[in-house]
mmCIF file of all heavy atoms in Angstrom:
data_model
loop_
_atom_site.group_PDB
_atom_site.id
_atom_site.type_symbol
_atom_site.label_atom_id
_atom_site.label_comp_id
_atom_site.label_asym_id
_atom_site.label_seq_id
_atom_site.Cartn_x
_atom_site.Cartn_y
_atom_site.Cartn_z
ATOM 1 N N THR A 180 73.371 100.080 94.036
ATOM 2 C CA THR A 180 74.003 100.363 92.748
ATOM 3 C C THR A 180 74.251 101.864 92.586
ATOM 4 O O THR A 180 74.907 102.290 91.639
ATOM 5 C CB THR A 180 73.117 99.882 91.590
ATOM 6 O OG1 THR A 180 71.852 100.543 91.696
ATOM 7 C CG2 THR A 180 72.897 98.388 91.662
ATOM 8 N N HIS A 181 73.677 102.658 93.484
ATOM 9 C CA HIS A 181 73.907 104.109 93.460
ATOM 10 C C HIS A 181 73.568 104.674 94.849
ATOM 11 O O HIS A 181 72.948 103.988 95.679
ATOM 12 C CB HIS A 181 73.062 104.803 92.378
ATOM 13 C CG HIS A 181 71.602 104.424 92.391
ATOM 14 N ND1 HIS A 181 70.715 104.874 91.462
ATOM 15 C CD2 HIS A 181 70.884 103.633 93.232
ATOM 16 C CE1 HIS A 181 69.517 104.390 91.707
ATOM 17 N NE2 HIS A 181 69.596 103.637 92.768
ATOM 18 N N SER A 183 71.527 106.934 95.285
ATOM 19 C CA SER A 183 70.170 107.495 95.233
ATOM 20 C C SER A 183 69.239 106.845 96.277
ATOM 21 O O SER A 183 68.181 107.410 96.589
ATOM 22 C CB SER A 183 69.576 107.331 93.836
ATOM 23 O OG SER A 183 70.400 107.969 92.896
ATOM 24 N N GLN A 186 68.098 109.162 98.900
ATOM 25 C CA GLN A 186 66.968 110.081 98.649
ATOM 26 C C GLN A 186 65.735 109.537 99.372
ATOM 27 O O GLN A 186 65.052 110.255 100.106
ATOM 28 C CB GLN A 186 66.641 110.162 97.159
ATOM 29 C CG GLN A 186 67.660 110.889 96.324
ATOM 30 C CD GLN A 186 67.126 111.122 94.909
ATOM 31 O OE1 GLN A 186 65.930 111.311 94.708
ATOM 32 N NE2 GLN A 186 68.005 111.115 93.940
ATOM 33 N N ARG A 207 78.658 97.798 91.285
ATOM 34 C CA ARG A 207 78.047 97.328 90.041
ATOM 35 C C ARG A 207 78.880 96.186 89.478
ATOM 36 O O ARG A 207 80.113 96.210 89.590
ATOM 37 C CB ARG A 207 77.970 98.455 89.015
ATOM 38 C CG ARG A 207 76.968 99.500 89.453
ATOM 39 C CD ARG A 207 76.707 100.543 88.412
ATOM 40 N NE ARG A 207 76.038 101.670 89.051
ATOM 41 C CZ ARG A 207 75.839 102.834 88.484
ATOM 42 N NH1 ARG A 207 76.243 103.049 87.249
ATOM 43 N NH2 ARG A 207 75.230 103.797 89.141
ATOM 44 N N GLN A 220 80.074 107.502 94.935
ATOM 45 C CA GLN A 220 79.193 108.549 94.402
ATOM 46 C C GLN A 220 78.857 109.538 95.514
ATOM 47 O O GLN A 220 78.999 109.226 96.703
ATOM 48 C CB GLN A 220 77.873 107.943 93.911
ATOM 49 C CG GLN A 220 77.974 107.217 92.586
ATOM 50 C CD GLN A 220 76.603 106.840 92.034
ATOM 51 O OE1 GLN A 220 75.637 106.725 92.784
ATOM 52 N NE2 GLN A 220 76.519 106.637 90.730
ATOM 53 N N GLU A 222 75.462 111.874 96.460
ATOM 54 C CA GLU A 222 74.084 112.199 96.113
ATOM 55 C C GLU A 222 73.715 113.522 96.770
ATOM 56 O O GLU A 222 74.087 113.782 97.913
ATOM 57 C CB GLU A 222 73.182 111.082 96.685
ATOM 58 C CG GLU A 222 71.797 111.070 96.130
ATOM 59 C CD GLU A 222 71.759 110.434 94.741
ATOM 60 O OE1 GLU A 222 72.773 109.832 94.326
ATOM 61 O OE2 GLU A 222 70.718 110.545 94.082
ATOM 62 N N GLY A 223 73.000 114.350 96.041
ATOM 63 C CA GLY A 223 72.513 115.596 96.636
ATOM 64 C C GLY A 223 71.000 115.641 96.503
ATOM 65 O O GLY A 223 70.447 115.143 95.512
ATOM 66 N N PHE A 261 66.351 109.778 83.704
ATOM 67 C CA PHE A 261 66.491 108.939 84.893
ATOM 68 C C PHE A 261 65.077 108.696 85.397
ATOM 69 O O PHE A 261 64.267 109.640 85.417
ATOM 70 C CB PHE A 261 67.318 109.639 85.985
ATOM 71 C CG PHE A 261 68.729 109.942 85.562
ATOM 72 C CD1 PHE A 261 69.084 111.222 85.184
ATOM 73 C CD2 PHE A 261 69.691 108.946 85.531
ATOM 74 C CE1 PHE A 261 70.378 111.515 84.777
ATOM 75 C CE2 PHE A 261 70.993 109.225 85.123
ATOM 76 C CZ PHE A 261 71.334 110.514 84.746
ATOM 77 N N PHE A 263 63.855 108.430 88.226
ATOM 78 C CA PHE A 263 63.446 109.090 89.478
ATOM 79 C C PHE A 263 63.447 110.615 89.396
ATOM 80 O O PHE A 263 63.217 111.287 90.402
ATOM 81 C CB PHE A 263 64.331 108.613 90.639
ATOM 82 C CG PHE A 263 65.773 108.414 90.240
ATOM 83 C CD1 PHE A 263 66.688 109.445 90.350
ATOM 84 C CD2 PHE A 263 66.198 107.190 89.741
ATOM 85 C CE1 PHE A 263 68.003 109.261 89.977
ATOM 86 C CE2 PHE A 263 67.524 107.001 89.366
ATOM 87 C CZ PHE A 263 68.427 108.023 89.478
ATOM 88 N N THR A 264 63.759 111.166 88.222
ATOM 89 C CA THR A 264 63.680 112.631 88.062
ATOM 90 C C THR A 264 62.899 112.964 86.791
ATOM 91 O O THR A 264 62.913 112.207 85.827
ATOM 92 C CB THR A 264 65.093 113.258 87.980
ATOM 93 O OG1 THR A 264 65.901 112.459 87.145
ATOM 94 C CG2 THR A 264 65.727 113.428 89.326
ATOM 95 N N ALA A 268 68.499 115.595 83.541
ATOM 96 C CA ALA A 268 69.555 116.205 82.727
ATOM 97 C C ALA A 268 70.906 115.623 83.107
ATOM 98 O O ALA A 268 71.061 115.005 84.172
ATOM 99 C CB ALA A 268 69.563 117.716 82.963
ATOM 100 N N GLY A 284 74.673 113.447 86.860
ATOM 101 C CA GLY A 284 73.280 113.354 86.448
ATOM 102 C C GLY A 284 72.427 114.112 87.459
ATOM 103 O O GLY A 284 72.783 114.202 88.639
ATOM 104 N N CYS A 285 71.317 114.670 86.989
ATOM 105 C CA CYS A 285 70.499 115.448 87.912
ATOM 106 C C CYS A 285 69.069 115.578 87.382
ATOM 107 O O CYS A 285 68.756 115.094 86.299
ATOM 108 C CB CYS A 285 71.095 116.836 88.105
ATOM 109 S SG CYS A 285 71.185 117.778 86.573
ATOM 110 N N GLY A 286 68.226 116.249 88.135
ATOM 111 C CA GLY A 286 66.862 116.476 87.665
ATOM 112 C C GLY A 286 65.953 116.902 88.803
ATOM 113 O O GLY A 286 66.379 116.998 89.961
ATOM 114 N N ALA A 307 67.525 116.742 92.603
ATOM 115 C CA ALA A 307 68.515 115.770 93.083
ATOM 116 C C ALA A 307 69.638 115.708 92.068
ATOM 117 O O ALA A 307 69.457 116.059 90.893
ATOM 118 C CB ALA A 307 67.873 114.405 93.235
ATOM 119 N N PHE A 308 70.793 115.298 92.534
ATOM 120 C CA PHE A 308 71.906 115.081 91.597
ATOM 121 C C PHE A 308 72.796 113.972 92.140
ATOM 122 O O PHE A 308 72.785 113.686 93.340
ATOM 123 C CB PHE A 308 72.711 116.374 91.376
ATOM 124 C CG PHE A 308 73.269 116.987 92.633
ATOM 125 C CD1 PHE A 308 74.511 116.618 93.122
ATOM 126 C CD2 PHE A 308 72.533 117.941 93.342
ATOM 127 C CE1 PHE A 308 75.019 117.187 94.282
ATOM 128 C CE2 PHE A 308 73.035 118.513 94.505
ATOM 129 C CZ PHE A 308 74.271 118.135 94.973
ATOM 130 N N GLY A 309 73.514 113.324 91.231
ATOM 131 C CA GLY A 309 74.421 112.262 91.637
ATOM 132 C C GLY A 309 75.686 112.365 90.819
ATOM 133 O O GLY A 309 75.634 112.514 89.602
HETATM 134 N N1 LIG B 418 71.763 107.448 90.358
HETATM 135 C C1 LIG B 418 72.285 107.865 89.087
HETATM 136 C C2 LIG B 418 73.384 106.896 88.636
HETATM 137 O O1 LIG B 418 73.895 106.192 89.436
HETATM 138 C C3 LIG B 418 72.860 109.247 89.166
HETATM 139 C C4 LIG B 418 71.792 110.281 89.379
HETATM 140 C C5 LIG B 418 71.151 110.834 88.287
HETATM 141 C C6 LIG B 418 71.440 110.675 90.633
HETATM 142 C C7 LIG B 418 70.180 111.786 88.458
HETATM 143 C C8 LIG B 418 70.450 111.637 90.815
HETATM 144 C C9 LIG B 418 69.828 112.182 89.703
HETATM 145 O O2 LIG B 418 70.073 112.048 92.013
HETATM 146 O O3 LIG B 418 68.871 113.124 89.884
HETATM 147 O O4 LIG B 418 73.711 106.874 87.470
#
Side-chain angles (χ1 to χ4, degrees):
T180 58
H181 49 184
S183 302
Q186 289 190 33
R207 291 188 195 169
Q220 284 190 337
E222 195 78 11
F261 298 102
F263 38 91
T264 43
C285 61
F308 57 88

